Amino acid sequence: QVQLVESGGGLVQAGGSLRLSCAASGRTISNYAMAWFRQGPGKEREFVGGISWSSATTYLADSVKGRFTVSRDNAKNTVYLQMNSLKPEDTAVYYCAAGSRSGATRKEDYVNWGQGTQVTVSS
C-alpha cells in the first residue's frame, strides 16, 4: 500500500496561483495512475485531474481546464497540481489518490488517498 501526503495548500486571492504536492511513500507510484480530487463545503468529492503512470496522458475536469495542470516526477515519487487563475469556487480540500486504471475519474476507482490539504481562495 502506498501512503500519500499532500502539501502546498493555503489562502490565496482570486487570480493567484498555488502548487500542490503529493509525496508518496511505502511503494513507488511509477505503476499507479494518480489523480487529484477536491471536496468543497457541503459538496461531494469531485475529480479535478489525473495523470497516467508514464505521464503520457493527463486529463482534467472541464471546470479547471486551461487553469490547472497535473504532473508527476516518478523519481521523486511525487505528483503535483499546478493551479493558476484561482477562483473562489476552487475553495476546497484537495486530495491526492492512487489507482490502477489510467483515465479513471470516479473516486471509487482509487484505493489509496492522502489526508487532504485545504485551499481557500478569497474574492
Side-chain angles (χ1 to χ4, degrees), residues 21-121:
S21 298
C22 172
S25 61
R27 299 184 72 173
T28 176
I29 62 168
S30 59
N31 295 324
Y32 288 89
M34 302 297 295
W36 289 92
F37 286 76
R38 67 185 181 186
Q39 188 165 13
K43 297 182 180 180
E44 294 288 323
R45 191 170 298 190
E46 65 176 359
F47 172 80
V48 174
I51 187 167
S52 64
W53 67 271
S54 66
S55 301
T57 305
T58 60
Y59 37 104
L60 295 165
D62 288 343
S63 59
V64 305
K65 281 181 181 176
R67 301 188 297 122
F68 291 13
T69 304
V70 182
S71 62
R72 66 192 294 165
D73 186 337
N74 288 341
K76 295 183 178 180
N77 231 23
T78 302
V79 181
Y80 304 97
L81 180 66
Q82 178 67 45
M83 305 186 294
N84 299 326
S85 302
L86 282 161
K87 304 175 181 180
E89 50 263 45
D90 295 318
T91 294
V93 177
Y94 283 72
Y95 297 90
C96 175
S100 60
R101 192 164 69 88
S102 180
T105 61
R106 301 183 315 151
K107 57 184 184 292
E108 293 80 7
D109 291 320
Y110 293 87
V111 294
N112 296 289
W113 292 85
Q115 83 291 344
T117 185
Q118 176 70 46
V119 171
T120 303
V121 184

Side-chain angles (χ1 to χ4, degrees), residues 5-18:
V5 178
E6 303 92 337
S7 62
L11 174 64
V12 63
Q13 287 189 331
S17 298
L18 282 174

